[in-house]
Amino acid sequence: MKTALSAIERFTRYQTDDAQSVEPVYCPVRDVLDRIGDKWSMLMIMTLATRPQRFSELRRAVRDISKRMLTQTLRDLERDGLITRHVFPTKPPSVEYRLAPLGQSLLEPMASLIDWADHRFADIHAARASFDGAQADVPR
Amino acid sequence: MKTALSAIERFTRYQTDDAQSVEPVYCPVRDVLDRIGDKWSMLMIMTLATRPQRFSELRRAVRDISKRMLTQTLRDLERDGLITRHVFPTKPPSVEYRLAPLGQSLLEPMASLIDWADHRFADIHAARASFDGAQADVPR
DNA sequence: AGGGTAGGTCTAATATAGAGACTTAGGCCC
DNA sequence: GGGCCTAAGTCTCTATATTAGACCTACCCT
């Protein structure tokens, strides 16, 4: 918990202060969170964690992503150096994606998030159910 | 790294298998990631990490969120038991949001993500710059 | 009496995502 | 040797999500 708070306090320092007054306050956490905190990026990283995979394998693994978003997500991850893209000159060409070292380094922190998700999702669902049940007559 | 992979392998098991064939495969990781992996949730949790805060404090802390999304994000987090909402009968009423224990428990895993962001964002920007530079004439 | 505040809700405008047709060139079947 | 398939995209059109900003209620201050 000590570690947690120190990291988070470091973050809040970006948020507060006079930094506020000046315009698009630059916050690395926001930056990175906006990047990997989108709908598909983490999922891609996790899917690529076990082994390199080709475009259509990825599509099969994450069945509800559209081609368009898959392309875009992979491109963005490549751009940020988290994955690499390898084209093989077969016909039709096959394209393999794999985690770059930077992407590998993300696995550890992401794993702890997954652990959390795994352990707590029951609690979340319980809370959700009770909230929805209680909503009957509570005005806002 | 050992821990990382075990968590992630546990995850991939949901993705693969025959689970595939049956419809909306239920995967707790997807579930939770879709929840906290949206644009604002993590940011809210982090902002509330240091202390409970009121609606307008949160809005000031995260300057670029709209009222509408702030309301909605807070409501969803409350629904999932990550934060609690307390109305004080002042006039006009003030409403304070604070982390629930479940939300607290998310701080630790999130902190390791923040650490990663903090340490690596320079690498990410370097990769991004070099990718953008190289894009001049590479056809896809 | 006029203006300000807190915590919202509502509507219209805009940005983002999804579905699915189209592309290119070779391999496979009959 | 014509028809159909595949891989990895792209393109267009539509649907959904997000934003900006007006509006609301009740009180306090000057």
Side-chain angles (χ1 to χ4, degrees), chain A residues 4-39:
Chain A
L5 286 188
S6 90
I8 286 170
E9 260 159 30
R10 216 177 323 121
F11 154 75
T12 53
R13 227 166 295 138
Y14 289 107
Q15 293 282 53
T16 54
D17 300 350
D18 346 73
Q20 209 69 299
S21 50
V22 204
E23 270 304 278
V25 190
Y26 189 65
C27 166
V29 177
R30 274 300 296 273
D31 187 295
V32 173
L33 231 53
D34 284 353
R35 188 65 275 291
I36 66 165
D38 67 9
K39 197 169 179 187

Side-chain angles (χ1 to χ4, degrees), chain A residues 18-99:
Chain A
D18 346 73
Q20 209 69 299
S21 50
V22 204
E23 270 304 278
V25 190
Y26 189 65
C27 166
V29 177
R30 274 300 296 273
D31 187 295
V32 173
L33 231 53
D34 284 353
R35 188 65 275 291
I36 66 165
D38 67 9
K39 197 169 179 187
W40 305 112
S41 293
M42 293 222 221
L43 229 40
M44 281 303 135
I45 301 270
M46 286 195 290
T47 306
L48 288 172
T50 40
R51 61 188 164 84
Q53 288 184 65
R54 290 170 55 185
F55 188 86
S56 34
E57 289 181 288
L58 289 169
R59 215 154 104 74
R60 277 189 291 275
V62 182
R63 300 165 321 294
D64 51 347
I65 193 173
S66 65
K67 280 173 158 194
R68 194 174 169 284
M69 284 316 289
L70 181 54
T71 306
Q72 192 178 118
T73 304
L74 291 171
R75 197 93 80 219
D76 289 346
L77 290 173
E78 185 195 2
R79 175 167 182 257
D80 287 353
L82 296 169
I83 66 176
T84 54
R85 178 174 181 270
H86 308 270
V87 183
F88 297 102
T90 57
K91 294 287 180 160
S94 41
V95 180
E96 190 180 80
Y97 294 91
R98 56 180 68 196
L99 283 189

